[in-house]
Amino acid sequence: MTAPRTRQPVMADVAKLAGVSHQTVSRVLNGSPNVAPATRARVAAAIRELDYRPNSMARALVTRRSQTLGVVSFASTLYGPASMLDGLEQAARSAGYFVSVASLRSLDPRSVQEAVDRLRDQGVEGIAVIAPQVSATGGPADPAGASPVVMVGTGAPSAVPRVAVDNVAGAAAATRYLLGLGHLTVHHITGPPGWLESQERERGWRGALAEAGAQVPPALPGDWGARSGYQAGLRIAADPRVTAVFCANDQTALGVLRALHEGGRAVPGDISVVGFDHIPEAAYLVPPLTTVRQDFEALGRQALSLLVEELSGVPCAGRRVLIAPDLVVRDSSGPAPAGAAAVKIR
């Protein structure tokens, strides 16, 4: 025989145990200041004793606020997009918001717009779109009265407010660091061409070399993966005159380190290697990887801040917030070997 299901406590139960009206319980739950401290304490104690959980749908009907934010995310296990999503979820939950995620395999404008519309139909208060690809940079339509939208992960300007890591500055800092160690030039393995981070990191690398008057060698194509880094690394290992390489991300650098080891090239004695992302494993590679760290928690906080401003009626159209990355120096980079000469990879 199945035991009868225990009834979940309701607001009336809390009011009865605390010796107050249900209106007083409602005021406590909604953070109203018009409740005496002693009364507030009794209500809080009753809530804990009964393990009362407010009905979020009922509260939304009363307050006309869902306390829910929507996130349109790219369905990827890549460290960057996954960490952006995590940073957003942490910031939202710390601020008392629930998070509803729509995960997409394609970031074309139609798919993004459909996901945004679905989230708006769910009554979310605001929406963050993680948009690391060029195909999604335009941003969804933002009709009057609709849930506001913030784009995350791209610095491209548009009418939709945006938050992104300053990839150009991070790549330039990595390149200048290697030049400062005496390397006459720095080679680069890119990310895939359709990604904004890839384009921006290549731009930062080129700009730093041009600013220093250094030779700009041809960039080697990559796809964010260790395999593409390994293949490019084999080409790098075959040329004894190459002394420094900046990789578009840490997974690429991992493949490069393997190729250089197989090719008998010492890191950093013969070639210095720098990555981008600061994956958790970077400190445990052999040698530990010098890399550019992205602050995904700050990215999430800034995106949430923009949404909250828009919800408060502050106009944010066209605003762009860039989060400065920082260089984490480890053992994979060092001074250029004596007699190094700047060359192009054949």
Side-chain angles (χ1 to χ4, degrees):
M1 181 177 179
T2 304
R5 181 176 296 177
T6 303
R7 181 177 69 85
Q8 293 294 320
V10 296
M11 190 181 294
D13 298 322
V14 175
K16 182 177 180 180
L17 182 59
V20 298
S21 67
H22 74 273
Q23 291 93 338
T24 298
V25 176
S26 178
R27 284 194 289 270
V28 171
L29 290 173
N30 291 316
S32 171
N34 301 321
V35 180
T39 302
R40 189 183 301 276
R42 288 207 313 278
V43 171
I47 289 172
R48 288 194 299 271
E49 182 174 338
L50 294 172
D51 194 25
Y52 169 70
R53 304 296 173 88
N55 186 313
S56 58
M57 294 183 64
R59 181 185 291 186
L61 289 173
V62 173
T63 64
R64 296 185 179 180
R65 295 191 59 185
S66 67
Q67 285 298 115
T68 301
L69 299 178
V71 178
V72 178
S73 175
F74 182 46
S76 170
T77 57
L78 288 170
Y79 181 74
S83 297
M84 289 178 194
L85 176 58
D86 183 63
L88 279 165
E89 289 186 307
Q90 288 189 34
R93 287 171 180 161
S94 295
Y97 286 94
F98 299 101
V99 177
S100 180
V101 179
S103 184
L104 302 179
R105 294 192 176 277
S106 172
L107 283 180
D108 60 275
R110 179 177 177 179
S111 296
V112 172
Q113 185 65 60
E114 289 176 349
V116 167
D117 290 342
R118 286 198 304 272
L119 289 169
R120 282 173 169 159
D121 289 344
Q122 294 175 19
V124 299
E125 293 189 35
I127 299 171
V129 179
I130 297 175
Q133 292 184 344
V134 175
S135 59
T137 56
D142 193 14
S147 306
V149 175
V150 169
M151 304 290 282
V152 181
T154 169
S158 84
V160 181
R162 308 186 162 228
V163 181
V165 170
D166 194 337
N167 290 286
V168 175
T175 305
R176 285 194 296 266
Y177 163 71
L178 289 167
L179 293 173
L181 291 173
H183 299 276
L184 299 182
T185 192
V186 177
H187 292 79
H188 180 50
I189 303 171
T190 71
W195 287 67
L196 285 155
E197 288 103 329
S198 177
Q199 296 177 1
E200 292 167 350
R201 291 170 195 178
E202 182 175 350
R203 189 161 75 247
W205 163 74
R206 289 185 182 277
L209 290 179
E211 181 183 358
Q215 176 191 6
V216 183
L220 297 173
D223 62 7
W224 297 137
R227 180 179 177 84
S228 68
Y230 175 77
Q231 292 169 338
L234 291 176
R235 295 178 61 185
I236 291 170
D239 193 327
R241 294 168 295 178
V242 178
T243 68
V245 57
F246 164 56
C247 303
N249 73 336
D250 290 348
Q251 295 292 342
T252 299
L254 187 156
V256 171
L257 291 176
R258 171 68 181 269
L260 295 180
H261 173 73
E262 291 183 0
R265 305 297 301 279
V267 179
D270 296 324
I271 300 180
S272 289
V273 179
V274 175
F276 201 116
D277 273 350
H278 195 250
I279 61 173
E281 299 83 4
Y284 302 97
L285 299 178
V286 180
L289 183 66
T290 296
T291 182
V292 179
R293 186 182 74 90
Q294 303 185 72
D295 191 341
F296 293 110
E297 291 184 8
L299 195 73
R301 290 194 303 270
Q302 288 292 337
L304 181 65
S305 177
L306 280 180
L307 282 175
V308 170
E309 284 190 55
E310 290 203 289
L311 289 168
S312 302
V314 177
C316 297
R319 190 186 303 184
R320 183 174 65 160
V321 178
L322 290 177
I323 308 296
D326 58 278
L327 185 68
V328 179
V329 176
R330 296 195 179 96
D331 294 345
S332 69
S333 55
V343 295
K344 292 182 180 179
I345 298 177
R346 297 185 184 85

